[in-house]
Amino acid sequence: MNMNQDQSENQAASTTPKISAPKISAPKISTDKLSILVVSGRSGSGKTSVLNILEDLGYYSIDNLPLSLLPSAAHKLVKESGINRIALGVDIRTPRADLSNFAATYAALKDTYGSQAVQVLYVTAQESTLIARFNATRRVHPLMSQDVDSDNANHVVFNLPAAIKKEVELLKPISSQADIKIDTTTLNIHQLKDRLREHIGMDNQIVINLLSFGFKHGSPIDADFVFDVRILPNPHWNPELRASTGLDAEVSTFFAEYPEVAEMLDDIDKFLTRWLPEFLHNNRHTVTVAIGCTGGKHRSVFITDHLQRRLADTMPEGVKVLAKHREKSRW
């Protein structure tokens, strides 16, 4: 599991001026489905990976936010923007004074939005694993490049094990308040995602993009599956249908005369119905199924449109099926 992105963002934060968060009166907000996650953790343990996963799951994520700005950020996103899933990343780079005041900041968020809506998610890992991750990327621990003692501006930790131990002490105000703790020592990125979904009570979701296209305009390079329907009868050679598309009733009437069209539609439908739901368990967020004919106007459009209708009715919950026609601007 590659979680060393946390280590790349190690700009000094000790010199950041202290900003007093404005007093915010509790807004009248429906807390239904409202989720504010304060994401923190030890450097190298996977905090950035967690924020990326949460973003994929529909959260609005902000990383490296000074703790004193949490109330203002939450207020702006929830009250002013109507965003109800928020992940706010904070870590050792925040000003030290903010860390000591974390309990009060956290309590204020819960008072404003409800105790069920606000949680602290803390990620950690065994010391040996953290050392191995830092050594593998040759990154510098944040505490080895910034002041760690506000009372002594010249005090810097130069030893990696010492920096890791010191970080545990400094993050104790956050870790002691954690509602969710995840040890990433033995987790890969897929297992981490599964663990997150379990904790926040969210099932995996996936979007199936059915894409019609014309081979003469090039095959889509991002397709996961490609079906070639050029063997089907082509309405293009009927002068009365040349201007029509696969979405028109007269083209459907034309295809109804050829049983092989229905057979191919059934075969593709059967294949996709069997295998697409499996992607729910494969940590994928999108799957593109491309269906191509010569020009992308009749056959591929017809098959794509009918597949979308069928699959939308048969796919399990969590699978959304969309139909797109790449060559529509050429019709």
Side-chain angles (χ1 to χ4, degrees), residues 186-198:
T186 61
L187 301 181
N188 60 39
I189 194 68
H190 304 301
Q191 294 168 328
L192 176 60
K193 181 179 179 181
D194 289 338
R195 189 72 59 83
L196 281 172
R197 288 207 312 267
E198 291 172 3

Side-chain angles (χ1 to χ4, degrees), residues 11 38 90 102 128 130 199 204 211 215-216 250 296 326:
Q11 295 179 347
V38 179
V90 293
F102 177 75
S128 59
L130 295 177
H199 281 297
N204 198 17
L211 178 69
F215 277 100
K216 73 176 184 180
E250 57 268 27
R326 194 185 73 176

Side-chain angles (χ1 to χ4, degrees), residues 48-83:
T48 299
S49 296
V50 167
L51 287 170
N52 290 338
I53 293 171
L54 289 172
E55 192 168 30
D56 290 339
L57 293 175
Y59 278 75
Y60 187 101
S61 298
I62 302 177
D63 194 11
N64 194 20
L65 188 68
L67 275 172
S68 58
L69 296 182
L70 287 184
S72 297
H75 175 82
K76 184 172 184 63
L77 293 172
V78 176
K79 178 65 174 178
E80 299 180 17
S81 302
I83 298 173

Side-chain angles (χ1 to χ4, degrees), residues 283-303:
N283 290 289
R284 291 284 296 274
H285 299 288
T286 61
V287 175
T288 299
V289 179
I291 301 165
C293 61
T294 303
K297 185 177 180 180
H298 295 104
R299 293 167 290 183
S300 63
V301 171
F302 175 85
I303 296 294

Side-chain angles (χ1 to χ4, degrees), residues 169-208:
E169 175 187 336
L170 293 173
L171 290 178
K172 196 167 287 186
I174 299 179
S175 63
S176 63
Q177 297 283 341
D179 302 285
I180 303 169
K181 283 190 176 181
I182 299 178
D183 186 337
T184 67
T185 300
T186 61
L187 301 181
N188 60 39
I189 194 68
H190 304 301
Q191 294 168 328
L192 176 60
K193 181 179 179 181
D194 289 338
R195 189 72 59 83
L196 281 172
R197 288 207 312 267
E198 291 172 3
H199 281 297
I200 65 178
M202 180 181 291
D203 293 330
N204 198 17
Q205 298 178 349
I206 190 168
V207 175
I208 307 299

Side-chain angles (χ1 to χ4, degrees), residues 14 51 105 136 146 152 154 185 198 210-211 221 224 281:
S14 59
L51 287 170
T105 301
Q146 62 173 272
N152 183 358
N154 296 318
T185 300
E198 291 172 3
L210 302 178
L211 178 69
I221 61 175
D224 298 290
H281 314 297

Side-chain angles (χ1 to χ4, degrees), residues 36-285:
I36 300 175
L37 290 177
V38 179
V39 181
S40 188
R42 303 169 70 180
S43 301
S45 62
K47 179 180 67 69
T48 299
S49 296
V50 167
L51 287 170
N52 290 338
I53 293 171
L54 289 172
E55 192 168 30
D56 290 339
L57 293 175
Y59 278 75
Y60 187 101
S61 298
I62 302 177
D63 194 11
N64 194 20
L65 188 68
L67 275 172
S68 58
L69 296 182
L70 287 184
S72 297
H75 175 82
K76 184 172 184 63
L77 293 172
V78 176
K79 178 65 174 178
E80 299 180 17
S81 302
I83 298 173
N84 62 6
R85 290 180 183 174
I86 303 167
L88 304 173
V90 293
D91 53 38
I92 196 61
R93 294 167 292 178
T94 197
R96 299 295 176 265
D98 287 359
L99 280 174
S100 62
N101 293 326
F102 177 75
T105 301
Y106 185 42
L109 286 172
K110 288 203 168 194
D111 288 342
T112 301
Y113 303 103
S115 59
Q116 299 299 317
V118 184
Q119 293 181 299
V120 172
L121 192 160
Y122 189 85
V123 287
T124 186
Q126 294 179 5
E127 181 177 329
S128 59
T129 299
L130 295 177
I131 292 175
R133 290 173 182 171
F134 275 102
N135 289 336
T137 58
R138 300 183 181 179
R139 301 299 303 178
V140 178
H141 191 284
L143 292 185
M144 297 175 67
S145 62
Q146 62 173 272
D147 300 333
V148 297
D149 188 347
S150 59
D151 296 326
N152 183 358
N154 296 318
H155 182 60
V156 178
V157 177
F158 294 102
N159 178 268
L160 178 58
I164 290 174
K165 286 183 172 66
K166 184 67 176 180
E167 185 178 37
V168 172
E169 175 187 336
L170 293 173
L171 290 178
K172 196 167 287 186
I174 299 179
S175 63
S176 63
Q177 297 283 341
D179 302 285
I180 303 169
K181 283 190 176 181
I182 299 178
D183 186 337
T184 67
T185 300
T186 61
L187 301 181
N188 60 39
I189 194 68
H190 304 301
Q191 294 168 328
L192 176 60
K193 181 179 179 181
D194 289 338
R195 189 72 59 83
L196 281 172
R197 288 207 312 267
E198 291 172 3
H199 281 297
I200 65 178
M202 180 181 291
D203 293 330
N204 198 17
Q205 298 178 349
I206 190 168
V207 175
I208 307 299
N209 293 310
L210 302 178
L211 178 69
S212 70
F213 73 97
F215 277 100
K216 73 176 184 180
H217 303 299
S219 300
I221 61 175
D222 59 343
D224 298 290
F225 299 97
V226 178
F227 293 94
D228 186 346
V229 298
R230 287 177 292 185
I231 60 173
L232 298 179
N234 192 354
H236 174 80
W237 301 116
N238 185 327
E240 296 179 358
L241 299 178
R242 187 165 297 180
S244 302
T245 75
L247 300 176
D248 295 325
E250 57 268 27
V251 174
S252 295
T253 300
F254 170 85
F255 283 135
E257 299 178 4
Y258 299 92
E260 60 265 37
V261 176
E263 291 172 4
M264 175 167 279
L265 178 61
D266 289 342
D267 286 344
I268 298 176
D269 179 32
K270 182 179 180 180
F271 174 84
L272 295 178
T273 298
R274 168 63 182 89
W275 294 109
L276 286 181
E278 296 298 321
F279 284 94
L280 279 171
H281 314 297
N282 196 242
N283 290 289
R284 291 284 296 274
H285 299 288

